[in-house]
Amino acid sequence: MPTTPPVTPSAAPEDPYAAVRTRKYAGLLLMAAVLGVPVSAIAFGFLALVSELQSLTYTELPKALGFDATPSWWPVPLLGVAGLLVGLVVRRLPGGGGHRPAEGLVSTGAPPAADLPGIVLAALVSLGMGAVLGPEAPLIALGGGLAVWAAGRVKRDLPPDARSLVGASGSFAAVSALLGSPLLGAFLLMEVAGLAGPMLGVALVPGLLSAGIGALIFTGLGSWTGLGTYSLRLGEVPPAATPDAAGFGWALVLGLAAAFAGAGIRRLSLALQERVERRTVVATAVMGLFVGALALVYAETSGKEGSEVLYSGEHELGHLLSASAEYSVGALVLLIVCKSLAYCASLSCFRGGPVFPAMFVGAVGGVALSHLPGLELTAGFAMGVGAMCVAMLRLPMTSVLLATLLLGREGVTVMPLVIVAVVVAYVVTLRLTPASADRDGVRPEAG
């Protein structure tokens, strides 16, 4: 009769927290804290430069050319030039301009220093001239790359594991205040990196330290310069009603709708990416013209600003919620269609992150559906944000936190509905995603 062999001391699991008790770990924390200051300052400068470029190209330049206001056709040539410039950067500079946003958002480690100029330049042109992408992926790459480069100058024999933690800490510092909370940025990077088990705390603490320092630097620089913090913020949030049976029913509907919409956007952007890469420069310029044309169609048809179709949508979320009564259902549906198509085109060739446009498309969908019986405005907005985020990113914890923390006190009220919508969208998204997609390497990367 077989017997179970006794457990020997050598078979006992190693202490996962042993590293925390060492002097080297304390030194790593100190390095993360010190590097968090310049990295977060550089990230703040990057966001400030993006904001200035958006104002320069969309507002100041038309005025300088003699226009009383920005013409509705202005985004067409603007995005065409942007596509040409980004295509040249992707084709000519090391690193291909950074990660390809159509493939989503997962960690592949900090990029080498030689790739950083191309990453920054491609992102500045893309984000500053109206591509429908967010700044989170370039910031993650920039923060991680700078931190690893600086750490290598200070300590050339830095072990690979320590180098990875330093790179992650730099990414934490760079993205800490962007999403409105250092904790939310930490959850984003935690899920992106796939950290789990007892080592989660060991790996996360340096990043949390850098995130906290980064948030302080963002706040201080925002106050000192008068430019603000560039953090995700909403203005006045309408009161949310207590969830009821109808609300939970709508959570199922929104979750399903977001899963299918996200699958469509992802597949179309990947198909476009495959074609763009055959003739990068010309095809990227064509995609830019297409994005500009969508903004023109929306502006001429709805009477609204074409800029609502452009950019990440981060700064339009508050206006969308507070001024939702100004939008007809037809205008909202048109905005969803134009923004989604512009999002697909931007994902296929420009450089940036996929988070904020997903939030915006989901929010518009939730606001549009709130015109129907049983769905309250704030709940629809929150569920749309969470469900569309998880459909595009496949990061359920981050998606729930994005949708609820964004709404402040009202977010706590609608959190049960958001959780249901996110879970439904997450499960259906995974069912709609072919298993071969992950095996073949169609996986996102964070820069």
Side-chain angles (χ1 to χ4, degrees):
M1 181 176 181
T3 58
T4 303
V7 177
T8 62
S10 60
E14 296 182 3
D15 181 4
Y17 304 107
V20 182
R21 304 184 183 98
T22 64
R23 184 175 299 178
K24 289 183 178 180
Y25 190 78
L28 185 63
L29 287 177
L30 178 61
M31 183 179 292
V34 172
L35 290 176
V37 176
V39 167
S40 55
I42 291 171
F44 182 91
F46 174 84
L47 293 173
L49 186 53
V50 167
S51 179
E52 289 300 315
L53 284 173
Q54 290 176 350
S55 177
L56 174 66
T57 56
Y58 198 80
T59 304
E60 300 302 327
L61 186 56
K63 288 183 179 179
L65 293 176
F67 296 102
D68 294 331
T70 304
S72 58
W73 52 261
W74 182 259
V76 180
L78 182 67
L79 267 297
V81 172
L84 182 64
L85 295 175
V86 171
L88 288 171
V89 171
V90 171
R91 186 72 177 270
R92 302 296 183 186
L93 293 185
H99 95 295
R100 298 180 293 183
E103 297 173 6
L105 195 68
V106 298
S107 177
T108 56
D115 292 354
L116 293 181
I119 291 172
V120 171
L121 186 56
L124 283 176
V125 175
S126 297
L127 303 177
M129 298 179 74
V132 186
L133 295 169
E136 67 283 353
L139 282 179
I140 291 171
L142 180 62
L146 286 174
V148 170
W149 176 83
R153 305 284 77 75
V154 174
K155 188 174 178 61
R156 296 188 179 276
D157 59 343
L158 197 66
D161 289 347
R163 185 181 295 269
S164 297
L165 284 179
V166 168
S169 297
S171 296
F172 273 67
V175 81
S176 59
L178 177 65
L179 300 175
S181 166
L183 184 61
L184 185 49
F187 266 97
L188 172 67
L189 290 171
M190 178 185 71
E191 285 198 290
V192 165
L195 300 174
M199 290 304 294
L200 171 59
V202 178
L204 198 58
V205 167
L208 284 173
L209 178 61
S210 291
I213 291 172
L216 289 174
I217 298 298
F218 266 60
T219 302
L221 287 175
S223 176
W224 178 57
T225 62
L227 296 174
T229 62
Y230 302 105
S231 298
L232 182 61
R233 290 283 188 274
L234 292 182
E236 183 178 348
V237 178
T242 303
D244 55 14
F248 281 102
W250 276 113
L252 298 175
V253 172
L254 273 164
L256 283 169
F260 281 96
I265 290 173
R266 192 167 53 252
R267 291 181 183 182
L268 179 56
S269 62
L270 287 170
L272 289 173
Q273 176 182 274
E274 183 180 350
R275 287 160 176 78
V276 164
E277 290 180 344
R278 296 172 186 170
R279 299 191 65 185
T280 302
V281 178
V282 174
T284 305
V286 170
M287 287 294 102
L289 292 172
F290 178 65
V291 172
L294 288 167
L296 173 61
V297 169
Y298 174 74
E300 291 295 319
T301 304
S302 68
K304 303 288 185 180
E305 289 290 331
S307 58
E308 293 182 3
V309 172
L310 305 177
Y311 307 112
S312 68
E314 171 191 357
H315 302 297
E316 298 292 335
L317 284 170
H319 175 74
L320 175 68
L321 185 58
S322 61
S324 60
E326 300 176 6
Y327 292 81
S328 66
V329 175
L332 290 170
V333 172
L334 180 63
L335 180 55
I336 292 172
V337 173
C338 291
K339 188 80 172 186
S340 297
L341 290 174
Y343 186 25
C344 289
S346 299
L347 286 169
S348 71
C349 57
F350 286 99
R351 294 298 185 258
V355 175
F356 291 114
M359 293 176 64
F360 185 81
V361 171
V364 178
V367 171
L369 289 174
S370 70
H371 286 77
L372 298 174
L375 180 59
E376 184 260 340
L377 173 63
T378 302
F381 180 95
M383 287 189 288
V385 168
M388 198 65 197
C389 277
V390 81
M392 290 301 299
L393 307 176
R394 289 181 284 181
L395 305 176
M397 288 293 295
T398 298
S399 299
V400 170
L401 288 173
L402 271 171
T404 54
L405 293 182
L406 181 62
L407 296 173
R409 184 179 303 175
E410 305 303 326
V412 178
T413 303
V414 300
M415 182 181 287
L417 299 177
V418 172
I419 291 173
V420 173
V422 166
V423 169
V424 171
Y426 181 62
V427 173
V428 176
T429 295
L430 293 182
R431 294 292 300 270
L432 292 174
T433 303
S436 60
D438 290 336
R439 290 197 302 268
D440 295 342
V442 181
R443 297 277 304 172
E445 53 183 330

